[in-house]
Amino acid sequence: LENELVPGLVHSCLHARTFKLSDMLRRLLRAMLYQNRTKLIACEEIIRTTHEPLIFRALAACNAQVRRNACALITECFPLMHTKDASNRNRTQAEWKALNERLLAKQLDAFHSLLSDSCCEVRMLAATSVGHVLRDHWDSLPAVTVVKLVNQIVDLSHDVGSVAVRTKALQGLAMLMDCVHAQDALRKALPSVLSSHIHDPSSRVRLQCLQILLQLHLQVRGIVPFYEAVEVTQLLELLAKDKEQEVKVKVSKLLLSSYIPSEEEGASFIMALLQQQPQAGRGFCLHARQAGCEPSTIATIIYELVTHLVYASDSTSNKASKRRARNRDEDQEEEEGHESSALESEVWCNVMQGISNLVRSLLVRPSARKRSQAHSEDVEIAFDVLKKLDKDHSGSALHKLYQLAPSQHAKAIVINLASLLPLKHCGQLAKKCKKVCSLAGVRGDVGDVGLEAAASIRALCCWGLSSDLITTMMSHLTPSGSKSPDESENAGGATPDAKRICRRMSYDWEEEDIPLLAHLIELLACVLSREEARQEFLQEDSCENLVDSLKIFTTEYVLAEGRLTTPEDQSFTKKCVMVLCKLALHYSNATGATEVAGSVLQDVSKQTLVCMEGITTEGNEESKVALLQVIEALTALSSDALLLNIFSELAHVESAIEFARKVNAFAMTL
């Protein structure tokens, strides 16, 4: 057994080509020997005699995979020891102890060399291996050596060459938290390590730091409080600016007991957080349910915040009206009143956004748990608290908040909250949104729509009113003076095909219609920018007709007229092309009708070439630059089309190549 079988297994384990095969052989050795070493002294001597000659040779091998296998094996069989068998029976106690000390020192030196290995994969494994060894044998190892090993793990946590090494080093330190003897060392090491890596560029490192902080807060409180290891301001900065969802959830879980200590005190703490750290407060509210806050507690906080906001807004409104009446003739005090009003508006928006995020945390859950019973209960609790606020069940609470909103931004936040709810819960607010999105009477310069209008049109889409929106847009994209050549054919009352009429209409737009159509384009851009609204909008059957109408308007009027002379016209042209192509691509991607986007990109490319030829001979430099920006956007969207296999036909590919060739020639003239 000890002469052939075990040495053969050890040799195969050390020189396995893959780490997975080496792990399988280690499991076999564990079942044969390592699990029985405390029961049978003979197993201990077999382990030493069969492992010592091979394992130290493998640790010094040139092959990094062999060193990695040796690192895993020496961790598994640590510590190798001499036993008092027949060969050592004549040795004195001092000699036997010195023999074991030399062997232990040899093993610890091997760990030192592994922690500074040139291969990052070896260093990764060594960091967790040393943590495992120190956790299980801390009190039996020399104190000086233990300190050196801990310092080396701390140094590895600053390894700039590998994210994985930094992560594994932190995991090695986390393993020591279960060891009572290691707590003094961790009390000195953890604050500096965690505070320097909590903003690490890698999300894996940040998540591991937060995992250690959660252990300090929830499991091992005797080492150091989490707020002393990392400043709370750093955690709030993560909550406000970090892009990783999981990071924000862990930070929220860490701060949950601090900002929601009880159901009664939660609202006041959340209010203070939203006023002092608005971004962090909004992030905390959004992830409160995922962090483990009870839904009943969240419902209580929502109720108290809304109630406070309504009463505070009524009081502020009354005071502001009295102040304006009293200081009507004093300019300085009036300016101070405007500044105070702006400050109050900002606070109002922050608190309202926090309320909206708390409601969203109950209504919107991760996809894996979307249909779970717990999520259904959360939704019921959210509706119950809204019904409690809305005594007449007709949307009065939301409408009251909408009326009290001090700015367009605040109104948009209220509408975004309403878009999470079914239409029957929104009452009068839905009518307000329809009125805001009405295109009647729109006049003025071409520009971005307001925040309120953008939120309103997204809410209408989320409520399932996309069909009415498309009908309204189609009516404005078809001028009143436009006539179809097939009108005489349909005099008998037959219903014409919508797509055929759209493609055969003779359009005649007037200059006074442009502000309204520019507003329509901006509204479409708002719909496409939000996934929930976009999905509902694209599911409508009439969406393809809207694409056709917008394509005709863009190609036969905007590009055909060459509207690139003024900055306003240049912006309008770029917006039309971008919105049309994006709408077509999203529609083709959602429905599988790739010919829709293919046709749009082909027609826009052809008309752009015609426009390019006219500008090359007559246009100024500003017009050329503006057209080149349109072409740049069109090229990027065509690349998206290639990824969606829209240009699958050979004719489409050839025309795209010809378009690119002419664009290059046009760019050379600039």
Side-chain angles (χ1 to χ4, degrees):
L1 184 67
E2 63 267 28
N3 293 329
E4 294 184 5
L5 179 60
V6 176
L9 288 174
V10 173
H11 183 274
S12 299
C13 179
L14 291 171
H15 294 84
R17 286 190 174 184
T18 63
F19 192 72
K20 185 176 181 180
L21 176 58
S22 177
D23 182 57
M24 294 173 64
L25 293 171
R26 280 197 309 277
R27 280 186 283 173
L28 180 59
L29 288 168
R30 186 186 309 139
M32 287 177 57
L33 297 173
Y34 308 147
Q35 292 178 352
N36 300 318
R37 65 194 305 176
T38 58
K39 300 177 182 178
L40 299 173
I41 298 178
C43 286
E44 189 70 48
E45 186 62 24
I46 292 174
I47 292 172
R48 186 194 64 79
T49 56
T50 55
H51 286 60
E52 184 181 2
L54 299 174
I55 202 166
F56 289 107
R57 190 182 306 144
L59 286 168
C62 296
N63 192 315
Q65 182 62 47
V66 175
R67 297 198 302 274
R68 188 184 180 198
N69 295 339
C71 178
L73 188 59
I74 194 174
T75 305
E76 189 79 40
C77 66
F78 186 88
L80 297 175
M81 295 177 61
H82 290 276
T83 58
K84 286 189 176 182
D85 58 355
S87 60
N88 291 327
R89 194 168 295 171
N90 296 329
R91 297 180 186 273
T92 63
Q93 183 73 14
E95 292 175 340
W96 175 76
K97 185 178 180 181
L99 198 63
N100 276 328
E101 287 178 352
R102 286 195 296 271
L103 182 57
L104 180 61
K106 191 176 181 181
Q107 296 172 73
L108 296 176
D109 288 341
F111 281 119
H112 283 299
S113 63
L114 289 170
L115 287 171
S116 57
D117 196 275
S118 59
C119 178
C120 63
E121 293 183 349
V122 177
R123 297 198 302 275
M124 286 167 47
L125 184 60
T128 53
S129 298
V130 171
H132 179 81
V133 168
L134 292 178
R135 181 191 63 189
D136 295 341
H137 306 280
W138 183 286
D139 54 340
S140 62
L141 300 177
V144 177
T145 305
V146 168
V147 171
K148 289 182 179 179
L149 289 173
V150 172
N151 289 337
Q152 278 193 280
I153 297 177
V154 171
D155 292 340
L156 279 185
S157 69
H158 302 285
D159 192 314
V160 296
S162 174
V163 172
V165 172
R166 297 200 298 274
T167 306
K168 290 295 182 180
L170 291 171
Q171 289 179 7
L173 292 174
M175 289 180 181
L176 299 179
M177 296 171 67
D178 297 331
C179 178
V180 178
H181 306 286
Q183 291 189 1
D184 289 336
L186 291 177
R187 195 172 291 115
K188 298 177 181 178
L190 283 180
S192 61
V193 172
L194 295 177
S195 60
S196 61
H197 290 298
I198 196 68
H199 294 295
D200 193 275
S202 171
S203 61
R204 291 163 56 188
V205 178
R206 298 197 301 273
L207 285 171
Q208 187 58 48
C209 286
L210 291 171
Q211 186 62 38
I212 294 176
L213 289 172
L214 283 171
Q215 286 182 259
L216 290 173
H217 181 50
L218 301 175
Q219 300 174 11
V220 194
R221 296 193 174 187
I223 299 177
V224 61
F226 79 91
Y227 49 83
E228 292 183 7
V230 175
E231 293 182 2
V232 176
T233 54
Q234 291 182 289
L235 297 175
L236 293 176
E237 186 177 354
L238 271 184
L239 199 55
K241 299 180 180 179
D242 202 287
K243 297 180 180 180
E244 292 292 330
Q245 189 86 352
E246 193 175 353
V247 171
K248 292 186 176 182
V249 172
K250 285 186 179 293
V251 175
S252 300
K253 188 179 296 185
L254 191 62
L255 299 175
L256 186 62
S257 60
S258 300
Y259 287 101
I260 308 182
S262 64
E263 188 170 317
E264 295 76 17
E265 298 176 304
S268 59
F269 279 94
I270 294 295
M271 175 72 77
L273 178 62
L274 288 168
Q275 291 178 354
Q276 297 169 7
Q277 298 283 343
Q279 286 184 314
R282 293 195 294 268
F284 180 80
C285 292
L286 185 60
H287 301 96
R289 183 66 184 101
Q290 286 180 264
C293 187
E294 292 297 325
S296 59
T297 303
I298 295 177
T300 302
I301 294 172
I302 292 171
Y303 181 82
E304 293 182 2
L305 287 178
V306 171
T307 304
H308 173 79
L309 203 59
V310 170
Y311 287 145
S313 299
D314 283 334
S315 176
T316 303
S317 177
N318 293 333
K319 289 180 181 179
S321 60
K322 292 179 181 179
R323 185 172 60 245
R324 283 194 298 269
R326 188 173 61 251
N327 301 324
R328 189 172 299 164
D329 299 329
E330 300 180 12
D331 296 337
Q332 183 177 358
E333 294 187 10
E334 187 175 352
E335 290 178 3
E336 293 177 357
H338 285 311
E339 293 178 1
S340 175
S341 176
L343 180 62
E344 292 168 359
S345 173
E346 184 180 355
V347 172
W348 202 99
C349 291
N350 293 332
V351 176
M352 190 63 226
Q353 187 64 62
I355 295 170
S356 178
N357 286 354
L358 285 170
V359 175
R360 185 181 290 271
S361 72
L362 291 175
L363 297 179
V364 181
R365 298 303 302 274
S367 57
R369 298 184 59 189
K370 222 168 215 183
R371 298 181 181 178
S372 66
Q373 183 179 358
H375 175 59
S376 301
E377 294 175 357
D378 291 355
V379 173
E380 291 179 5
I381 290 174
F383 286 160
D384 288 342
V385 71
L386 291 173
K387 288 178 181 178
K388 187 178 179 182
L389 289 166
D390 181 17
K391 296 180 181 179
D392 58 357
H393 303 279
S394 62
S396 60
L398 290 173
H399 187 245
K400 181 71 173 177
L401 289 171
Y402 178 83
Q403 289 178 321
L404 293 173
S407 65
Q408 191 180 94
H409 182 204
K411 293 180 185 294
I413 295 172
V414 177
I415 295 171
N416 286 332
L417 170 59
S419 68
L420 300 173
L421 309 173
L423 182 59
K424 62 181 181 181
H425 291 278
C426 299
Q428 299 175 350
L429 189 57
K431 297 179 182 178
K432 291 284 185 182
C433 291
K434 292 179 182 178
K435 185 177 180 180
V436 170
C437 291
S438 175
L439 295 173
V442 175
R443 292 293 183 269
D445 296 332
V446 177
D448 294 337
V449 299
L451 294 173
E452 184 183 356
S456 298
I457 194 168
R458 295 189 192 112
L460 293 175
C461 292
C462 293
W463 289 329
L465 301 177
S466 303
S467 179
D468 297 340
L469 287 173
I470 293 176
T471 302
T472 303
M473 292 178 178
M474 288 281 293
S475 66
H476 290 290
L477 280 171
T478 306
S480 58
S482 303
K483 293 184 179 181
S484 169
D486 291 339
E487 274 187 1
S488 59
E489 298 176 10
N490 296 318
T495 302
D497 181 67
K499 295 181 184 178
R500 193 184 319 137
I501 286 184
C502 180
R503 289 165 185 159
R504 299 177 63 184
M505 287 287 291
S506 175
Y507 292 95
D508 186 18
W509 288 279
E510 300 293 338
E511 189 65 26
E512 62 183 14
D513 296 328
I514 296 305
L516 184 144
L517 294 173
H519 188 76
L520 185 150
I521 296 296
E522 293 288 350
L523 290 177
L524 265 177
C526 293
V527 172
L528 296 178
S529 64
R530 190 69 60 86
E531 184 179 359
E532 298 90 348
R534 184 175 67 237
Q535 289 177 350
E536 295 290 337
F537 191 83
L538 295 174
Q539 288 176 359
E540 297 296 331
D541 296 335
S542 55
C543 187
E544 185 176 351
N545 297 337
L546 179 62
V547 174
D548 288 336
S549 297
L550 188 58
K551 179 182 69 173
I552 293 172
F553 171 71
T554 304
T555 56
E556 297 186 7
Y557 181 73
V558 177
L559 290 174
E561 294 287 334
R563 300 180 64 90
L564 294 169
T565 54
T566 65
E568 292 80 9
D569 286 343
Q570 294 169 6
S571 175
F572 179 54
T573 301
K574 288 186 284 187
K575 196 74 174 181
C576 286
V577 173
M578 288 291 292
V579 171
L580 169 62
C581 295
K582 283 185 177 181
L583 177 62
L585 284 171
H586 283 303
Y587 179 79
S588 295
N589 190 31
T591 62
T594 57
E595 67 278 0
V596 175
S599 173
V600 167
L601 290 169
Q602 291 298 310
D603 292 349
V604 172
S605 299
K606 290 179 182 178
Q607 192 60 48
T608 303
L609 290 175
V610 174
C611 185
M612 184 168 35
E613 292 174 357
I615 289 180
T616 302
T617 56
E618 301 177 1
N620 55 23
E621 293 299 323
E622 290 78 7
S623 300
K624 291 181 180 180
V625 172
L627 182 60
L628 195 60
Q629 292 175 353
V630 173
I631 293 171
E632 182 182 2
L634 186 59
T635 305
L637 293 167
S638 299
S639 300
D640 295 337
L642 287 171
L643 295 176
L644 295 173
N645 295 323
I646 288 174
F647 288 150
S648 56
E649 298 181 11
L650 182 60
H652 290 170
V653 175
E654 291 178 349
S655 61
I657 294 174
E658 179 66 17
F659 176 72
R661 185 184 65 78
K662 292 184 178 181
V663 167
N664 288 333
F666 174 75
M668 294 296 291
T669 64
L670 297 179

